[in-house]
Structures are given as structure tokens and as C-alpha cells.
Amino acid sequence: MVAVIGLGNMGLAMVRCLSGAGSPPKGWDLDPAKRAAAAAAGATTPETLAETIAPVTILSLPHEAAVAAVLEVLLPALPPGAVIVDTSTLSPGAVRGFARQAAQAGCAYLDAPVSGGPAGAAAGTLAMMIGGDADALDRARPALALLSAKILHIGASGAGQVAKLVNNLLVATHLVAAAEALRLAGAAGVRADALLPVLNGATGRSAATEVNWPRWIASGTFDSGFSAGLMRKDVRLALAMAEEAGVPLDVTARAAAAWEALTSVPDSADFNRVPAMIAVGATP
Ligand code: NAD
């Protein structure tokens, strides 16, 4: 049995995937409406967080404070040897602290941030970047295999978050770069619908041009399930990691600044709104 704590865009998609694979999980969220949606998707939804226990517990929470609050209740309730697999995007320092706290309670905590969004979670095709103990990963692996096409053990506690933050700093940068390139081409007389097939058949391509633009921006759907606020959180965490590591950033830091500065796109909006605005000439 698996439990999923945090039933937002990602957590609910994980519930759907696990239920569809014949392993309906337990589910918990602070928001009763999210618990009701998870119940409709096949989850068992106990009355309290302390009752939402399982040998493998997946967290999908927005920030460090939420994880700290959940662990405070969960760790005393979990059986010895239980594995917490935290798919939230957090700082490497925070997750190392959570792993120590779990070890003191006789449990294991893996940082396991993911790539692939709600669509990947629902389809069971996430890429998971794991930091932490290999034996604990082996105990959780059968459950994680239902959600992930790629389970990558990167290294010790915190290594998964390092990989995830570097990945998302690149995504944020690629999106800003693609937006500027499309704006330039448009101003010089070549429209996006003519340019994108060129880029995607040539060496200028990236996930920004191959996935984000056709799927969520050019289509006008803006329904990726990943908010601008969460992307801003990720770039902030990446910049803090660079400062801590003593690595000065130039191009990626400027792209990160564009995400922060474009305040006309609220945190609640789809993250693709930021490059879409830059492509039509918005400046902070
Ligand atoms: P979301 O805001 O849609 O969902 C977060 C859920 O956590 C909400 O339902 C909220 O009510 C719940 N929550 C908050 N505090 C809680 C608490 N103390 N106890 C129980 N529940 C609590 O966020 P999301 O898009 O599902 O993302 C979840 C995590 O996954 C984030 O860390 C995000 O950075 C990461 N992530 C998201 C995506 C994506 O595409 N959405 C992709 C990769 C990683």
C-alpha cells in the first residue's frame, strides 16, 4: 500500500495513475476538495494525516514548510523501515535535514523530484531523480515503477534536488531564449508557425520549441498544470544553490530574473504565460 500526501496537480495525477494500475493509494491534503477529488479517483481518504500511513509514502507538496509540517505528524505514526519518497521540488539543504529527521524516527527519506508534469504522472512516465539510501530506494521501487519510466539514482541525500534544480534552471532559460528568438524572427518577418518547424528540425531546438510552444503556447491552452509561481520557486532555489556553491551565473541568472520581473503574469498562472508574454514584446 502506498500513500500520497499533497493532492494538487501532481499528487492527484499520481493517484489516478496508481488507481489505474490496480494499486489505489491512501491520500491526504489539507484541502477537503482535493481529498474528495482523490476519493473520486479511487483513493482511500482517511479523516486525518496521522491515519494516512503506508510502508511507502509519496509527498507532493508546494514548499519546505508544508513538508516540515507533514513530517512532524507523519514520522511518529509511521512503522519502522517506512520509506518517504518526496517528489516536491525543494532545496538540497532542506531535504538533507528531512533525511536526518526521518532516520532518527527509524524511517528513510528520499528526495525524489520529478520531471514530466501532471501528464507524465497520470501516464506513469515521470522521470524521478533520487537522492538517498539505495536500500530504501529498492524497498520503494515497485511502487515508484508504476509512476516512472525513469528512476535515476543520482547519489546521496540532496543529489536528486541538485539535478532537478539544474534541470529547471535550464528549462526556465530555454523558454526565455526561445521567446526572444521567436520575437526576433517575427520582427524580421518570419512568423512562429513558419519558424518552429525549422528550429525543431535543426540545432536550435529544445523542449521549449518542441513541447511547450506547440502544446501550450501556440495552441492557446496554457493548461500544463505547472504554475508560474512554482517555476519562480525553482529558479530562486537554483540561484540560492549557486550562491551557496560559490558559482557565479550569468546567462541563466538573467533568464531567472526575467521570470521574477514579469509581474504581469501572476504566480497562479500557467508557467507558459511568461515566455508567451516575452515573445510578444513584454518587458518587466
Ligand atoms: P499544487 O499547488 O497543485 O498542489 C500542492 C498541494 O499541496 C495542494 O493541493 C495543497 O492543498 C497541498 N498542501 C499544501 N500544504 C499542505 C500540507 N501541509 N499538508 C497537506 N497538503 C498540503 O502543486 P503541484 O503542481 O502539484 O506541485 C507539487 C510539487 O511538485 C511542487 O513542489 C512542485 O514544484 C513539484 N513539481 C510540479 C510539477 C508540475 O508540473 N506541476 C512538475 C514537477 C515538480
Side-chain angles (χ1 to χ4, degrees):
M1 171 62 98
V2 177
V4 179
I5 315 288
L7 302 168
N9 287 322
M10 292 299 285
L12 184 60
M14 290 180 199
V15 167
R16 291 206 172 102
C17 175
L18 292 166
S19 298
S23 296
K26 293 183 181 176
W28 171 260
D29 195 288
L30 278 183
D31 181 347
K34 302 284 173 69
R35 297 204 295 276
T44 308
T45 51
E47 286 298 308
T48 65
L49 171 58
E51 293 166 89
T52 315
I53 52 170
V56 176
T57 303
I58 296 171
L59 308 186
S60 179
L61 294 163
H63 43 60
E64 186 181 330
V67 175
V70 164
L71 290 184
E72 198 178 313
V73 176
L74 215 53
L75 285 176
L78 281 172
V83 184
I84 297 164
V85 180
D86 192 352
T87 66
S88 322
T89 306
L90 303 168
S91 77
V95 299
R96 287 182 195 117
F98 292 143
R100 283 193 294 272
Q101 203 184 328
Q104 280 161 11
C107 300
Y109 170 102
L110 302 172
D111 49 299
V114 292
S115 181
T125 58
L126 290 171
M128 239 177 218
M129 303 154 229
I130 314 267
D133 180 62
D135 290 341
L137 173 56
D138 282 344
R139 297 204 294 283
R141 201 179 281 275
L144 302 186
L146 300 176
L147 296 169
S148 312
K150 282 185 200 155
I151 299 174
L152 305 165
H153 189 205
I154 313 296
S157 180
Q161 295 294 355
V162 172
K164 171 67 180 176
L165 294 180
V166 167
N167 180 73
N168 275 26
L169 185 61
L170 271 179
V171 174
T173 304
H174 289 163
L175 282 166
V176 171
E180 288 189 358
L182 287 161
R183 185 182 168 202
L184 169 61
V190 174
R191 289 160 40 122
D193 54 357
L195 183 67
L196 279 169
V198 176
L199 297 179
N200 289 335
T203 47
R205 68 186 181 275
S206 64
T209 60
E210 287 185 314
V211 180
N212 295 63
W213 233 277
R215 194 176 295 173
W216 297 303
I217 301 175
S219 68
T221 57
F222 295 100
D223 61 352
S224 73
F226 187 50
S227 68
L230 286 177
M231 182 53 112
R232 288 177 176 132
K233 172 192 74 167
D234 293 358
V235 297
R236 257 173 239 148
L237 290 172
L239 294 191
M241 184 171 81
E243 196 171 324
E244 206 178 312
V247 175
L249 301 177
D250 180 13
V251 173
T252 48
R254 278 193 256 177
W259 283 84
E260 296 287 6
L262 208 60
T263 50
S264 56
V265 177
D267 278 354
S268 56
D270 190 275
F271 80 123
N272 291 291
R273 292 275 179 198
V274 169
M277 293 287 286
I278 295 171
V280 295
T283 45

